[in-house]
Amino acid sequence: PVSRIELLDEMSIRAFNQSVKNEELKPMDEKATLFFEFAGHSESSVMADLSAARAVCVDDFEGSNFVSATDETTRSKVWAARHRLYYSSIALRGGGDDDGNGATSQSTIVTDVCVPFSSFADIVSATAEDLRDMGVFGTVFGHCGDGNYHAILPLRSDDTEEYKDKVFKVIELMTERAISVGGSVTGEHGVGYGKKKFLEQMYGAAGVSLMQTIKTSIDPWCIMNPGKIVDVDLGLGAIK
């Protein structure tokens, strides 16, 4: 069976290519790319699954550059673009530059949503288009096996307020689209402060009210992560 399926968009591959310097790694065609990992009880079963995947990707959907490997060293090279995506994305916005204005891991936003399989490709493509249309740099990648996808959005210290507003607009559109197709505002990174405003769209006022009731019953003084996920009123004004 397939144990992992990862999707990287065109900008993710570009970030990887820019990070390849004097290494044994080869630049890749800058196209949206799928990465598979197969596992099985025998080599023959794994190779059968690999052959089936190749037929679907190449023959049915006209994919190109289908590469496979079984030894650990070559497999690591095949998966390198995915494994180093976070830091290569930061580097593409000046991470490590001498002027000190480049993006860092502390200034980089990583956000995610989760959508049904039937909407996955369209929603991921729409987010990549938002980034291009708004002139925002970001890389988009997803875990195709569970419908969860992410955007890595590095910020520089010299970014304008207008640019930052565009970044948060991308996140807003990404989240609203996920809700519109029956998805979730997050799959891994959580609701926190930033996405609690979307919960009523997902669960309705009654659903959020129930969450508030549960919150106050186990944390009556709101000392555990105050202001996250839901707002609660302690009689002294809402905790936000």
Side-chain angles (χ1 to χ4, degrees):
V2 178
S3 55
R4 273 197 296 176
I5 313 179
E6 297 282 293
L7 171 67
L8 272 62
D9 74 341
E10 176 183 336
M11 188 59 71
S12 298
I13 302 301
R14 183 175 302 171
F16 167 70
N17 286 344
Q18 292 294 316
S19 75
V20 175
K21 298 176 181 178
N22 302 318
E23 300 179 53
E24 294 182 0
L25 301 172
K26 295 180 179 179
M28 301 171 63
D29 285 352
E30 292 183 1
K31 302 176 181 178
T33 303
L34 277 172
F35 295 77
F36 295 87
E37 184 175 85
F38 299 91
H41 58 82
S42 68
E43 182 178 353
S44 60
S45 69
V46 171
M47 297 310 292
D49 288 339
L50 174 64
S51 179
R54 183 193 297 272
V56 171
C57 292
V58 178
D59 300 337
D60 296 347
F61 289 93
E62 300 181 345
S64 60
N65 300 326
F66 194 100
V67 177
S68 62
T70 56
D71 65 283
E72 186 63 33
T73 299
T74 308
R75 285 174 56 212
S76 295
K77 292 178 182 178
V78 170
W79 276 83
R82 171 64 186 91
H83 292 159
R84 60 169 61 189
L85 178 58
Y86 178 68
Y87 289 107
S88 63
S89 300
I90 294 173
L92 209 56
R93 286 221 75 211
D97 284 1
D98 293 336
D99 63 8
N101 293 322
T104 67
S105 57
Q106 289 77 27
S107 67
T108 295
I109 298 171
V110 183
T111 189
D112 78 318
V113 296
C114 207
V115 299
F117 293 140
S118 58
S119 301
F120 188 82
D122 290 339
I123 298 295
V124 170
S125 297
T127 298
E129 289 174 9
D130 287 340
L131 292 167
R132 287 194 295 270
D133 293 345
M134 294 186 191
V136 171
F137 173 79
T139 54
V140 181
F141 71 101
H143 314 312
C144 305
D146 61 9
N148 181 216
Y149 82 94
H150 307 250
I152 301 174
L153 304 164
L155 294 173
R156 294 173 53 91
S157 62
D158 55 2
D159 281 333
T160 64
E161 291 302 315
E162 180 183 6
Y163 182 85
K164 293 176 184 177
D165 287 344
K166 290 179 180 179
V167 169
F168 287 104
K169 182 62 177 179
V170 167
I171 297 172
E172 187 174 295
L173 291 172
M174 180 177 169
T175 306
E176 289 178 341
R177 280 200 193 94
I179 295 172
S180 73
V181 297
S184 170
V185 300
T186 183
E188 293 177 350
H189 291 280
V191 174
Y193 301 113
K195 291 188 175 181
K196 64 183 179 181
K197 65 181 180 181
F198 297 105
L199 289 187
E200 193 165 320
Q201 293 180 50
M202 282 186 63
Y203 300 112
V208 173
S209 177
L210 177 60
M211 293 180 200
Q212 291 169 326
T213 299
I214 295 171
K215 168 69 173 176
T216 53
S217 68
I218 63 176
D219 182 21
W221 295 107
C222 198
I223 59 175
M224 296 187 290
N225 288 323
K228 290 188 176 180
I229 305 180
V230 293
D231 299 327
V232 294
D233 193 338
L234 302 180
L236 303 172
I239 302 296
K240 297 184 178 181

